Amino acid sequence: MSVKLCSSDNKEFAVDMKIATQSTLIRNLLDDVGETDEAIPLPNVTGKVLEKIIEYCTHHMDDPPALNEEYDDLPKRSDDIEPWDEKFIDVDQELLFEILLASNYMDIKPLLDLGCKTVANMIRNKTAEEIRKMFNIVDDFTEEEREQIRKENEWAEDH
């Protein structure tokens, strides 16, 4: 049994039910409307990103479900990325953030975690200035605001 998914740029994908229902959004939608021949619209996901998400879900379709009551309470690590996942998520920054947004929208927690771990690894041991440069973030603080932030966070500085 398969389901049709339609991206924001009107690309349609026929996806096995076991793959598609790794998304809580799609699973809940199918529970509500039942089986349908109509394509499920995903207005927040482009075809390029949906293709990557389908690739990820296909690879992980036989993984045991990690979504139980304790899942959100477990301590998270960023150094436990599987080799296949590491290669999968090794994409340009724009696509990485599109995958993050889409996995959040589609509610695919393991993929969202993978994206977050990847970003965490990117910024680990970087200064605020290095992070701003990496993500093209404009520093619009005045010198007075910077000084106030330093004072408020002195406790966090390495001494």
Side-chain angles (χ1 to χ4, degrees), residues 98-135:
E98 288 177 22
I99 290 170
L100 268 169
L101 290 170
S103 60
N104 184 50
Y105 168 69
M106 293 177 69
D107 199 356
I108 305 172
K109 282 195 186 300
L111 180 54
L112 180 60
D113 284 349
L114 173 61
C116 290
K117 287 177 182 185
T118 301
V119 173
N121 289 335
M122 289 168 69
I123 65 174
R124 177 174 282 114
N125 300 321
K126 301 271 192 297
T127 65
E129 188 55 42
E130 290 170 325
I131 293 169
R132 276 191 211 98
K133 190 173 184 175
M134 179 185 294
F135 297 120

Side-chain angles (χ1 to χ4, degrees), residues 1-54:
M1 172 79 199
S2 69
V3 61
K4 283 189 257 177
L5 305 177
C6 184
S7 66
S8 61
D9 47 356
N10 292 317
K11 293 184 179 159
E12 276 196 20
F13 299 85
V15 182
D16 185 275
M17 192 70 73
K18 188 174 180 181
I19 294 166
T21 55
Q22 288 180 59
S23 162
T24 304
L25 172 78
I26 293 172
R27 186 171 52 250
N28 290 343
L29 197 86
L30 290 171
D31 286 347
D32 290 346
V33 301
E35 292 179 16
T36 178
D37 291 332
E38 296 291 314
I40 297 172
L42 296 169
N44 297 345
V45 185
T46 64
K48 178 181 179 181
V49 173
L50 186 53
E51 198 169 342
K52 286 291 284 180
I53 288 173
I54 292 167

Side-chain angles (χ1 to χ4, degrees), residues 62-98:
D62 293 321
D63 289 2
L67 308 177
N68 54 34
E69 294 298 317
E70 300 95 38
Y71 182 78
D72 289 330
D73 296 331
L74 291 174
K76 301 291 190 274
R77 300 173 47 163
S78 64
D79 62 349
D80 60 346
I81 300 174
E82 296 291 323
W84 187 92
D85 288 347
E86 202 169 320
K87 188 172 187 223
F88 168 83
I89 205 73
D90 184 18
V91 295
D92 64 67
Q93 203 177 93
E94 182 180 356
L95 183 55
L96 171 62
F97 284 102
E98 288 177 22

